[in-house]
């Protein structure tokens, strides 16, 4: 790590209530948005870790509001977890306050930092290694929605306005193609055409929302498998993390975003597209877990639209990666040239595969809707 960065991180770490003697800080995890570090402290010969994050201000222009949401949502979750006999210190994010009692630290450069208790003895997976992990993540994300069903949604700030407004994302994409700021449009004509051919997919839920045919719920909005910690011993989904985008949203989008990431047979940035497909086995296992986790709360229309939620979330994400590529990689963190283009291609390969497997996907939904829904 570069020296200046190290100084910045250590200064930030020093502002929070300390868990012992500071040992070191290292970059951590595979998130695309925030800068995440694992801090190590030593206390009576024991090593203690915490998570320190610099909030991405370009993505979240009002970090105070993000932190207010997280503080309120986790306070609500802690009460519910305790009532249900769980361990609130481990089964939700726990904010470590600054020495002067705030839930973030604003440094001299105008950067916002926060610290969380490290969820120990648990793993955040980037690909599904064991089917059961995916099933457990489904139960946890479904249950997360249930636990927040009585959270006063009107008190939540919209941390990223129109985050899953796919119709608006489509308009932003079109603008990016027209402006072609990075001069890359000519080389990605095939991908651009893939999007333009599917304007109806982009508009699908916006039209339903215009007609108020689906309920707005308090949802997570970023339900990637690596935003959940799976307990190393019990194999259960223990803690839903990355709460920056908890806002009113659609249940089918929380379902769909998990499918996009976790039911793929390849990583989100796989270059070899022959490895990318939407596994029907994983799809089915997630459907089962999610419906169990939601515990009968979804309407029959929500259940019926789950495959569409998966397709729209995958399409939207591919379109966002392509937009970012066209704009010169200004939003998602990249680790190589064309990283966003590779990510976009896997998403479109998945959309195409879902289109081929549409009948199978809807048959799975019918099966579980009858059994559980
Ligand atoms: P981003 O918004 O950039 O995705 P996340 O909040 O998801 O950032 O954090 C990135 C990664 O850091 C996660 O995928 C996870 O591996 C790890 N992580 C985050 N919070 C915790 C925590 N409280 N305990 C353990 N690991 C964590
Ligand atoms: C980002 O923060 P992270 O890495 O969990 C993004 C999601 C995308 C995802 C694609 C705030 O998620 O919307 O679906 O990358 N988060 C934000 O991997 O834009
Ligand atoms: Mg994340």
């Amino acid at each position: 790590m570069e020296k200046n960065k190290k100084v910045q991180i250590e200064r930030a770490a020093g502002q929070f209530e300390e868990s012992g003697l500071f040992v070191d800080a290292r970059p951590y995890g595979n998130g695309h948005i925030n800068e995440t570090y694992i801090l190590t402290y030593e206390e009576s010969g024991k090593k203690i870790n915490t998570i320190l994050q610099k909030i991405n201000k370009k993505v979240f222009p009002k970090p105070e509001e993000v932190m207010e949401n997280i503080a309120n949502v986790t306070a609500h979750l802690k009460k519910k977890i305790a009532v249900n006999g769980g361990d609130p210190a481990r089964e939700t994010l726990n904010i470590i306050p600054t020495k002067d009692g705030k839930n973030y630290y604003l440094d001299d450069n105008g950067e916002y930092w926060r610290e969380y208790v490290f969820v120990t003895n648990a793993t955040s997976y980037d690909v599904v290694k064991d089917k059961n992990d995916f099933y457990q993540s489904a139960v946890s994300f479904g249950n997360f929605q249930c636990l927040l069903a009585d959270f006063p949604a009107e008190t939540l700030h919209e941390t990223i306005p129109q985050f899953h407004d796919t119709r608006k994302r489509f308009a932003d994409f079109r603008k990016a193609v027209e402006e072609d700021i990075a001069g890359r449009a000519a080389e990605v004509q095939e991908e651009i055409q893939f999007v333009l051919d599917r304007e109806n997919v982009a508009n699908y839920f916006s039209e339903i929302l215009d007609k108020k045919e689906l309920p707005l719920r308090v949802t997570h909005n970023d339900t990637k498998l690596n935003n959940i910690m799976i307990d190393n011993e019990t194999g259960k989904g223990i803690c839903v993390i990355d709460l920056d985008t908890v806002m009113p949203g659609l249940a089918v989008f929380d379902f769909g975003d998990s499918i996009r990431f976790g039911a793929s047979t390849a990583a989100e940035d796989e270059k070899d597209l022959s490895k990318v497909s939407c596994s029907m086995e994983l799809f089915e296992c997630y459907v089962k877990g999610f419906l169990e986790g939601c515990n009968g709360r979804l309407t029959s229309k929500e259940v019926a639209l789950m495959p569409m939620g998966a397709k729209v979330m995958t399409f939207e994400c591919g379109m966002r990666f392509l937009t970012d590529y066209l704009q010169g990689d200004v939003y998602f963190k990249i680790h190589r040239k064309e990283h966003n283009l590779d990510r976009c291609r896997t998403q479109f390969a998945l959309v195409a595969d879902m289109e081929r497997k549409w009948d199978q996907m809807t048959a799975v939904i019918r099966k579980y809707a009858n059994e559980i829904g």
Side-chain angles (χ1 to χ4, degrees), residues 126-128 134 259-268 270 272-283 346 349-350 353 357:
D126 286 309
V127 284
V128 175
F134 196 44
I259 297 299
R260 156 192 101 66
F261 191 85
S264 173
T265 50
E268 191 186 58
E270 174 60 57
D272 179 355
L273 294 181
S274 70
K275 293 187 181 155
V276 181
S277 69
C278 181
S279 155
M280 284 302 103
E281 192 188 0
L282 292 176
F283 178 80
T346 61
L350 276 174
D353 197 43
K357 293 174 175 162

PDB file of all heavy atoms in Angstrom, residues 126-128 134 259-268 270 272-283 346 349-350 353 357:
ATOM      1  N   ASP A 126     -17.743 -15.295  -3.574  1.00  0.00           N
ATOM      2  CA  ASP A 126     -17.880 -14.624  -4.874  1.00  0.00           C
ATOM      3  C   ASP A 126     -18.502 -15.537  -5.925  1.00  0.00           C
ATOM      4  O   ASP A 126     -19.013 -15.061  -6.928  1.00  0.00           O
ATOM      5  CB  ASP A 126     -16.514 -14.124  -5.347  1.00  0.00           C
ATOM      6  CG  ASP A 126     -16.095 -12.911  -4.539  1.00  0.00           C
ATOM      7  OD1 ASP A 126     -16.900 -11.967  -4.428  1.00  0.00           O
ATOM      8  OD2 ASP A 126     -14.994 -12.931  -3.961  1.00  0.00           O
ATOM      9  N   VAL A 127     -18.398 -16.824  -5.721  1.00  0.00           N
ATOM     10  CA  VAL A 127     -19.139 -17.776  -6.579  1.00  0.00           C
ATOM     11  C   VAL A 127     -19.686 -18.891  -5.688  1.00  0.00           C
ATOM     12  O   VAL A 127     -19.148 -19.133  -4.603  1.00  0.00           O
ATOM     13  CB  VAL A 127     -18.257 -18.434  -7.683  1.00  0.00           C
ATOM     14  CG1 VAL A 127     -17.975 -17.501  -8.824  1.00  0.00           C
ATOM     15  CG2 VAL A 127     -16.975 -18.980  -7.103  1.00  0.00           C
ATOM     16  N   VAL A 128     -20.728 -19.527  -6.174  1.00  0.00           N
ATOM     17  CA  VAL A 128     -21.332 -20.595  -5.380  1.00  0.00           C
ATOM     18  C   VAL A 128     -20.434 -21.831  -5.439  1.00  0.00           C
ATOM     19  O   VAL A 128     -20.169 -22.366  -6.508  1.00  0.00           O
ATOM     20  CB  VAL A 128     -22.734 -20.938  -5.930  1.00  0.00           C
ATOM     21  CG1 VAL A 128     -23.327 -22.133  -5.182  1.00  0.00           C
ATOM     22  CG2 VAL A 128     -23.668 -19.739  -5.827  1.00  0.00           C
ATOM     23  N   PHE A 134     -25.929 -21.253  -1.334  1.00  0.00           N
ATOM     24  CA  PHE A 134     -26.817 -20.395  -2.132  1.00  0.00           C
ATOM     25  C   PHE A 134     -28.242 -20.452  -1.582  1.00  0.00           C
ATOM     26  O   PHE A 134     -28.920 -19.436  -1.453  1.00  0.00           O
ATOM     27  CB  PHE A 134     -26.766 -20.846  -3.595  1.00  0.00           C
ATOM     28  CG  PHE A 134     -27.327 -19.835  -4.559  1.00  0.00           C
ATOM     29  CD1 PHE A 134     -27.024 -18.484  -4.457  1.00  0.00           C
ATOM     30  CD2 PHE A 134     -28.156 -20.240  -5.602  1.00  0.00           C
ATOM     31  CE1 PHE A 134     -27.541 -17.554  -5.358  1.00  0.00           C
ATOM     32  CE2 PHE A 134     -28.671 -19.319  -6.506  1.00  0.00           C
ATOM     33  CZ  PHE A 134     -28.367 -17.979  -6.380  1.00  0.00           C
ATOM     34  N   ILE A 259     -30.125 -13.993  -8.324  1.00  0.00           N
ATOM     35  CA  ILE A 259     -30.040 -14.980  -9.404  1.00  0.00           C
ATOM     36  C   ILE A 259     -28.957 -14.564 -10.392  1.00  0.00           C
ATOM     37  O   ILE A 259     -28.105 -15.355 -10.796  1.00  0.00           O
ATOM     38  CB  ILE A 259     -31.405 -15.108 -10.134  1.00  0.00           C
ATOM     39  CG1 ILE A 259     -32.478 -15.629  -9.175  1.00  0.00           C
ATOM     40  CG2 ILE A 259     -31.303 -15.986 -11.385  1.00  0.00           C
ATOM     41  CD1 ILE A 259     -32.199 -17.005  -8.596  1.00  0.00           C
ATOM     42  N   ARG A 260     -28.966 -13.295 -10.764  1.00  0.00           N
ATOM     43  CA  ARG A 260     -27.999 -12.755 -11.712  1.00  0.00           C
ATOM     44  C   ARG A 260     -26.572 -13.101 -11.307  1.00  0.00           C
ATOM     45  O   ARG A 260     -25.750 -13.506 -12.110  1.00  0.00           O
ATOM     46  CB  ARG A 260     -28.201 -11.230 -11.754  1.00  0.00           C
ATOM     47  CG  ARG A 260     -27.061 -10.431 -12.183  1.00  0.00           C
ATOM     48  CD  ARG A 260     -27.219  -8.957 -11.944  1.00  0.00           C
ATOM     49  NE  ARG A 260     -26.502  -8.527 -10.761  1.00  0.00           N
ATOM     50  CZ  ARG A 260     -25.190  -8.544 -10.625  1.00  0.00           C
ATOM     51  NH1 ARG A 260     -24.413  -8.964 -11.609  1.00  0.00           N
ATOM     52  NH2 ARG A 260     -24.617  -8.161  -9.505  1.00  0.00           N
ATOM     53  N   PHE A 261     -26.290 -12.989 -10.019  1.00  0.00           N
ATOM     54  CA  PHE A 261     -24.916 -13.183  -9.550  1.00  0.00           C
ATOM     55  C   PHE A 261     -24.637 -14.640  -9.182  1.00  0.00           C
ATOM     56  O   PHE A 261     -23.637 -15.212  -9.572  1.00  0.00           O
ATOM     57  CB  PHE A 261     -24.681 -12.275  -8.338  1.00  0.00           C
ATOM     58  CG  PHE A 261     -23.250 -12.180  -7.903  1.00  0.00           C
ATOM     59  CD1 PHE A 261     -22.390 -11.272  -8.501  1.00  0.00           C
ATOM     60  CD2 PHE A 261     -22.761 -12.988  -6.883  1.00  0.00           C
ATOM     61  CE1 PHE A 261     -21.061 -11.171  -8.094  1.00  0.00           C
ATOM     62  CE2 PHE A 261     -21.438 -12.893  -6.463  1.00  0.00           C
ATOM     63  CZ  PHE A 261     -20.592 -11.977  -7.061  1.00  0.00           C
ATOM     64  N   GLY A 262     -25.573 -15.221  -8.417  1.00  0.00           N
ATOM     65  CA  GLY A 262     -25.286 -16.519  -7.810  1.00  0.00           C
ATOM     66  C   GLY A 262     -25.685 -17.721  -8.639  1.00  0.00           C
ATOM     67  O   GLY A 262     -25.119 -18.805  -8.478  1.00  0.00           O
ATOM     68  N   ALA A 263     -26.682 -17.582  -9.527  1.00  0.00           N
ATOM     69  CA  ALA A 263     -27.102 -18.755 -10.320  1.00  0.00           C
ATOM     70  C   ALA A 263     -26.290 -18.856 -11.607  1.00  0.00           C
ATOM     71  O   ALA A 263     -26.487 -19.770 -12.404  1.00  0.00           O
ATOM     72  CB  ALA A 263     -28.596 -18.688 -10.636  1.00  0.00           C
ATOM     73  N   SER A 264     -25.368 -17.915 -11.799  1.00  0.00           N
ATOM     74  CA  SER A 264     -24.500 -18.008 -12.976  1.00  0.00           C
ATOM     75  C   SER A 264     -23.460 -19.100 -12.739  1.00  0.00           C
ATOM     76  O   SER A 264     -22.962 -19.253 -11.623  1.00  0.00           O
ATOM     77  CB  SER A 264     -23.799 -16.661 -13.207  1.00  0.00           C
ATOM     78  OG  SER A 264     -22.843 -16.807 -14.232  1.00  0.00           O
ATOM     79  N   THR A 265     -23.133 -19.821 -13.797  1.00  0.00           N
ATOM     80  CA  THR A 265     -22.133 -20.885 -13.658  1.00  0.00           C
ATOM     81  C   THR A 265     -20.717 -20.332 -13.755  1.00  0.00           C
ATOM     82  O   THR A 265     -19.744 -21.089 -13.723  1.00  0.00           O
ATOM     83  CB  THR A 265     -22.336 -21.951 -14.754  1.00  0.00           C
ATOM     84  OG1 THR A 265     -22.414 -21.252 -16.012  1.00  0.00           O
ATOM     85  CG2 THR A 265     -23.601 -22.752 -14.539  1.00  0.00           C
ATOM     86  N   ALA A 266     -20.583 -19.010 -13.898  1.00  0.00           N
ATOM     87  CA  ALA A 266     -19.240 -18.418 -13.986  1.00  0.00           C
ATOM     88  C   ALA A 266     -19.212 -17.117 -13.194  1.00  0.00           C
ATOM     89  O   ALA A 266     -20.248 -16.576 -12.820  1.00  0.00           O
ATOM     90  CB  ALA A 266     -18.891 -18.152 -15.442  1.00  0.00           C
ATOM     91  N   ALA A 267     -18.001 -16.606 -12.994  1.00  0.00           N
ATOM     92  CA  ALA A 267     -17.857 -15.349 -12.253  1.00  0.00           C
ATOM     93  C   ALA A 267     -18.441 -14.199 -13.071  1.00  0.00           C
ATOM     94  O   ALA A 267     -18.565 -14.287 -14.293  1.00  0.00           O
ATOM     95  CB  ALA A 267     -16.387 -15.088 -11.958  1.00  0.00           C
ATOM     96  N   GLU A 268     -18.744 -13.108 -12.385  1.00  0.00           N
ATOM     97  CA  GLU A 268     -19.349 -11.951 -13.045  1.00  0.00           C
ATOM     98  C   GLU A 268     -18.428 -11.358 -14.120  1.00  0.00           C
ATOM     99  O   GLU A 268     -18.900 -10.733 -15.072  1.00  0.00           O
ATOM    100  CB  GLU A 268     -19.649 -10.896 -11.965  1.00  0.00           C
ATOM    101  CG  GLU A 268     -20.511  -9.739 -12.381  1.00  0.00           C
ATOM    102  CD  GLU A 268     -20.604  -8.703 -11.246  1.00  0.00           C
ATOM    103  OE1 GLU A 268     -19.571  -8.177 -10.795  1.00  0.00           O
ATOM    104  OE2 GLU A 268     -21.732  -8.430 -10.797  1.00  0.00           O
ATOM    105  N   GLU A 270     -16.071 -13.238 -15.915  1.00  0.00           N
ATOM    106  CA  GLU A 270     -15.467 -14.316 -16.718  1.00  0.00           C
ATOM    107  C   GLU A 270     -15.291 -13.863 -18.171  1.00  0.00           C
ATOM    108  O   GLU A 270     -16.201 -13.298 -18.761  1.00  0.00           O
ATOM    109  CB  GLU A 270     -16.371 -15.559 -16.638  1.00  0.00           C
ATOM    110  CG  GLU A 270     -15.960 -16.718 -17.517  1.00  0.00           C
ATOM    111  CD  GLU A 270     -14.572 -17.246 -17.199  1.00  0.00           C
ATOM    112  OE1 GLU A 270     -14.338 -17.635 -16.046  1.00  0.00           O
ATOM    113  OE2 GLU A 270     -13.708 -17.254 -18.116  1.00  0.00           O
ATOM    114  N   ASP A 272     -14.325 -16.065 -20.657  1.00  0.00           N
ATOM    115  CA  ASP A 272     -14.739 -17.154 -21.536  1.00  0.00           C
ATOM    116  C   ASP A 272     -16.266 -17.344 -21.418  1.00  0.00           C
ATOM    117  O   ASP A 272     -16.766 -17.999 -20.497  1.00  0.00           O
ATOM    118  CB  ASP A 272     -13.999 -18.434 -21.116  1.00  0.00           C
ATOM    119  CG  ASP A 272     -14.399 -19.629 -21.979  1.00  0.00           C
ATOM    120  OD1 ASP A 272     -15.308 -19.484 -22.833  1.00  0.00           O
ATOM    121  OD2 ASP A 272     -13.815 -20.712 -21.780  1.00  0.00           O
ATOM    122  N   LEU A 273     -16.985 -16.779 -22.394  1.00  0.00           N
ATOM    123  CA  LEU A 273     -18.448 -16.771 -22.289  1.00  0.00           C
ATOM    124  C   LEU A 273     -19.071 -18.162 -22.418  1.00  0.00           C
ATOM    125  O   LEU A 273     -20.225 -18.359 -22.048  1.00  0.00           O
ATOM    126  CB  LEU A 273     -19.045 -15.812 -23.323  1.00  0.00           C
ATOM    127  CG  LEU A 273     -18.706 -14.329 -23.089  1.00  0.00           C
ATOM    128  CD1 LEU A 273     -19.365 -13.454 -24.153  1.00  0.00           C
ATOM    129  CD2 LEU A 273     -19.136 -13.863 -21.704  1.00  0.00           C
ATOM    130  N   SER A 274     -18.275 -19.134 -22.918  1.00  0.00           N
ATOM    131  CA  SER A 274     -18.841 -20.486 -23.030  1.00  0.00           C
ATOM    132  C   SER A 274     -19.074 -21.076 -21.631  1.00  0.00           C
ATOM    133  O   SER A 274     -19.786 -22.055 -21.464  1.00  0.00           O
ATOM    134  CB  SER A 274     -17.914 -21.384 -23.852  1.00  0.00           C
ATOM    135  OG  SER A 274     -16.741 -21.654 -23.114  1.00  0.00           O
ATOM    136  N   LYS A 275     -18.449 -20.456 -20.619  1.00  0.00           N
ATOM    137  CA  LYS A 275     -18.635 -20.960 -19.240  1.00  0.00           C
ATOM    138  C   LYS A 275     -19.864 -20.349 -18.557  1.00  0.00           C
ATOM    139  O   LYS A 275     -20.239 -20.751 -17.462  1.00  0.00           O
ATOM    140  CB  LYS A 275     -17.406 -20.607 -18.392  1.00  0.00           C
ATOM    141  CG  LYS A 275     -16.143 -21.332 -18.798  1.00  0.00           C
ATOM    142  CD  LYS A 275     -15.050 -21.032 -17.792  1.00  0.00           C
ATOM    143  CE  LYS A 275     -13.761 -21.731 -18.186  1.00  0.00           C
ATOM    144  NZ  LYS A 275     -12.590 -21.046 -17.642  1.00  0.00           N
ATOM    145  N   VAL A 276     -20.451 -19.338 -19.218  1.00  0.00           N
ATOM    146  CA  VAL A 276     -21.539 -18.591 -18.549  1.00  0.00           C
ATOM    147  C   VAL A 276     -22.906 -19.154 -18.909  1.00  0.00           C
ATOM    148  O   VAL A 276     -23.280 -19.208 -20.082  1.00  0.00           O
ATOM    149  CB  VAL A 276     -21.507 -17.094 -18.974  1.00  0.00           C
ATOM    150  CG1 VAL A 276     -22.611 -16.312 -18.262  1.00  0.00           C
ATOM    151  CG2 VAL A 276     -20.145 -16.486 -18.701  1.00  0.00           C
ATOM    152  N   SER A 277     -23.645 -19.564 -17.894  1.00  0.00           N
ATOM    153  CA  SER A 277     -25.049 -19.936 -18.131  1.00  0.00           C
ATOM    154  C   SER A 277     -25.819 -19.752 -16.833  1.00  0.00           C
ATOM    155  O   SER A 277     -25.222 -19.589 -15.764  1.00  0.00           O
ATOM    156  CB  SER A 277     -25.146 -21.388 -18.622  1.00  0.00           C
ATOM    157  OG  SER A 277     -24.795 -22.255 -17.578  1.00  0.00           O
ATOM    158  N   CYS A 278     -27.145 -19.772 -16.947  1.00  0.00           N
ATOM    159  CA  CYS A 278     -27.966 -19.646 -15.745  1.00  0.00           C
ATOM    160  C   CYS A 278     -28.351 -21.073 -15.316  1.00  0.00           C
ATOM    161  O   CYS A 278     -29.120 -21.739 -16.003  1.00  0.00           O
ATOM    162  CB  CYS A 278     -29.209 -18.800 -16.049  1.00  0.00           C
ATOM    163  SG  CYS A 278     -30.248 -18.580 -14.591  1.00  0.00           S
ATOM    164  N   SER A 279     -27.780 -21.512 -14.212  1.00  0.00           N
ATOM    165  CA  SER A 279     -28.025 -22.884 -13.768  1.00  0.00           C
ATOM    166  C   SER A 279     -29.454 -23.028 -13.248  1.00  0.00           C
ATOM    167  O   SER A 279     -29.860 -22.331 -12.314  1.00  0.00           O
ATOM    168  CB  SER A 279     -27.019 -23.248 -12.664  1.00  0.00           C
ATOM    169  OG  SER A 279     -27.553 -24.270 -11.851  1.00  0.00           O
ATOM    170  N   MET A 280     -30.181 -23.951 -13.847  1.00  0.00           N
ATOM    171  CA  MET A 280     -31.567 -24.166 -13.408  1.00  0.00           C
ATOM    172  C   MET A 280     -31.607 -24.843 -12.028  1.00  0.00           C
ATOM    173  O   MET A 280     -32.535 -24.648 -11.257  1.00  0.00           O
ATOM    174  CB  MET A 280     -32.333 -25.017 -14.431  1.00  0.00           C
ATOM    175  CG  MET A 280     -32.748 -24.246 -15.673  1.00  0.00           C
ATOM    176  SD  MET A 280     -33.800 -22.807 -15.301  1.00  0.00           S
ATOM    177  CE  MET A 280     -32.653 -21.480 -15.461  1.00  0.00           C
ATOM    178  N   GLU A 281     -30.556 -25.603 -11.733  1.00  0.00           N
ATOM    179  CA  GLU A 281     -30.488 -26.238 -10.418  1.00  0.00           C
ATOM    180  C   GLU A 281     -30.349 -25.152  -9.335  1.00  0.00           C
ATOM    181  O   GLU A 281     -31.047 -25.155  -8.323  1.00  0.00           O
ATOM    182  CB  GLU A 281     -29.276 -27.173 -10.403  1.00  0.00           C
ATOM    183  CG  GLU A 281     -29.260 -28.094  -9.227  1.00  0.00           C
ATOM    184  CD  GLU A 281     -27.956 -28.874  -9.123  1.00  0.00           C
ATOM    185  OE1 GLU A 281     -27.062 -28.683  -9.984  1.00  0.00           O
ATOM    186  OE2 GLU A 281     -27.837 -29.642  -8.156  1.00  0.00           O
ATOM    187  N   LEU A 282     -29.449 -24.193  -9.594  1.00  0.00           N
ATOM    188  CA  LEU A 282     -29.248 -23.114  -8.617  1.00  0.00           C
ATOM    189  C   LEU A 282     -30.464 -22.184  -8.573  1.00  0.00           C
ATOM    190  O   LEU A 282     -30.845 -21.692  -7.510  1.00  0.00           O
ATOM    191  CB  LEU A 282     -27.968 -22.328  -8.936  1.00  0.00           C
ATOM    192  CG  LEU A 282     -26.668 -23.123  -8.729  1.00  0.00           C
ATOM    193  CD1 LEU A 282     -25.457 -22.314  -9.170  1.00  0.00           C
ATOM    194  CD2 LEU A 282     -26.518 -23.540  -7.261  1.00  0.00           C
ATOM    195  N   PHE A 283     -31.061 -21.960  -9.730  1.00  0.00           N
ATOM    196  CA  PHE A 283     -32.258 -21.115  -9.777  1.00  0.00           C
ATOM    197  C   PHE A 283     -33.328 -21.719  -8.864  1.00  0.00           C
ATOM    198  O   PHE A 283     -33.899 -21.048  -8.004  1.00  0.00           O
ATOM    199  CB  PHE A 283     -32.765 -21.010 -11.226  1.00  0.00           C
ATOM    200  CG  PHE A 283     -34.026 -20.198 -11.381  1.00  0.00           C
ATOM    201  CD1 PHE A 283     -33.984 -18.808 -11.397  1.00  0.00           C
ATOM    202  CD2 PHE A 283     -35.265 -20.821 -11.521  1.00  0.00           C
ATOM    203  CE1 PHE A 283     -35.146 -18.055 -11.525  1.00  0.00           C
ATOM    204  CE2 PHE A 283     -36.428 -20.079 -11.653  1.00  0.00           C
ATOM    205  CZ  PHE A 283     -36.367 -18.688 -11.665  1.00  0.00           C
ATOM    206  N   THR A 346     -20.837 -10.948 -19.712  1.00  0.00           N
ATOM    207  CA  THR A 346     -21.375 -12.100 -18.962  1.00  0.00           C
ATOM    208  C   THR A 346     -22.863 -11.877 -18.663  1.00  0.00           C
ATOM    209  O   THR A 346     -23.651 -12.817 -18.722  1.00  0.00           O
ATOM    210  CB  THR A 346     -20.649 -12.327 -17.607  1.00  0.00           C
ATOM    211  OG1 THR A 346     -20.819 -11.179 -16.774  1.00  0.00           O
ATOM    212  CG2 THR A 346     -19.184 -12.648 -17.785  1.00  0.00           C
ATOM    213  N   ALA A 349     -24.850 -12.541 -21.756  1.00  0.00           N
ATOM    214  CA  ALA A 349     -24.882 -13.988 -22.028  1.00  0.00           C
ATOM    215  C   ALA A 349     -25.921 -14.645 -21.114  1.00  0.00           C
ATOM    216  O   ALA A 349     -26.664 -15.547 -21.527  1.00  0.00           O
ATOM    217  CB  ALA A 349     -23.501 -14.600 -21.801  1.00  0.00           C
ATOM    218  N   LEU A 350     -26.000 -14.179 -19.882  1.00  0.00           N
ATOM    219  CA  LEU A 350     -26.987 -14.731 -18.937  1.00  0.00           C
ATOM    220  C   LEU A 350     -28.412 -14.395 -19.368  1.00  0.00           C
ATOM    221  O   LEU A 350     -29.302 -15.243 -19.301  1.00  0.00           O
ATOM    222  CB  LEU A 350     -26.757 -14.160 -17.541  1.00  0.00           C
ATOM    223  CG  LEU A 350     -25.715 -14.833 -16.671  1.00  0.00           C
ATOM    224  CD1 LEU A 350     -25.509 -14.042 -15.383  1.00  0.00           C
ATOM    225  CD2 LEU A 350     -26.141 -16.262 -16.336  1.00  0.00           C
ATOM    226  N   ASP A 353     -29.343 -16.603 -22.099  1.00  0.00           N
ATOM    227  CA  ASP A 353     -29.593 -17.963 -21.616  1.00  0.00           C
ATOM    228  C   ASP A 353     -30.947 -18.049 -20.900  1.00  0.00           C
ATOM    229  O   ASP A 353     -31.672 -19.039 -21.039  1.00  0.00           O
ATOM    230  CB  ASP A 353     -28.457 -18.401 -20.688  1.00  0.00           C
ATOM    231  CG  ASP A 353     -28.449 -19.907 -20.500  1.00  0.00           C
ATOM    232  OD1 ASP A 353     -28.638 -20.630 -21.508  1.00  0.00           O
ATOM    233  OD2 ASP A 353     -28.285 -20.378 -19.350  1.00  0.00           O
ATOM    234  N   LYS A 357     -34.180 -20.391 -21.585  1.00  0.00           N
ATOM    235  CA  LYS A 357     -34.690 -21.302 -20.544  1.00  0.00           C
ATOM    236  C   LYS A 357     -35.976 -20.796 -19.890  1.00  0.00           C
ATOM    237  O   LYS A 357     -36.320 -21.228 -18.788  1.00  0.00           O
ATOM    238  CB  LYS A 357     -33.608 -21.479 -19.469  1.00  0.00           C
ATOM    239  CG  LYS A 357     -32.384 -22.216 -19.980  1.00  0.00           C
ATOM    240  CD  LYS A 357     -31.284 -22.257 -18.941  1.00  0.00           C
ATOM    241  CE  LYS A 357     -30.125 -23.114 -19.435  1.00  0.00           C
ATOM    242  NZ  LYS A 357     -28.890 -22.847 -18.670  1.00  0.00           N
TER     243      LYS A 357
END
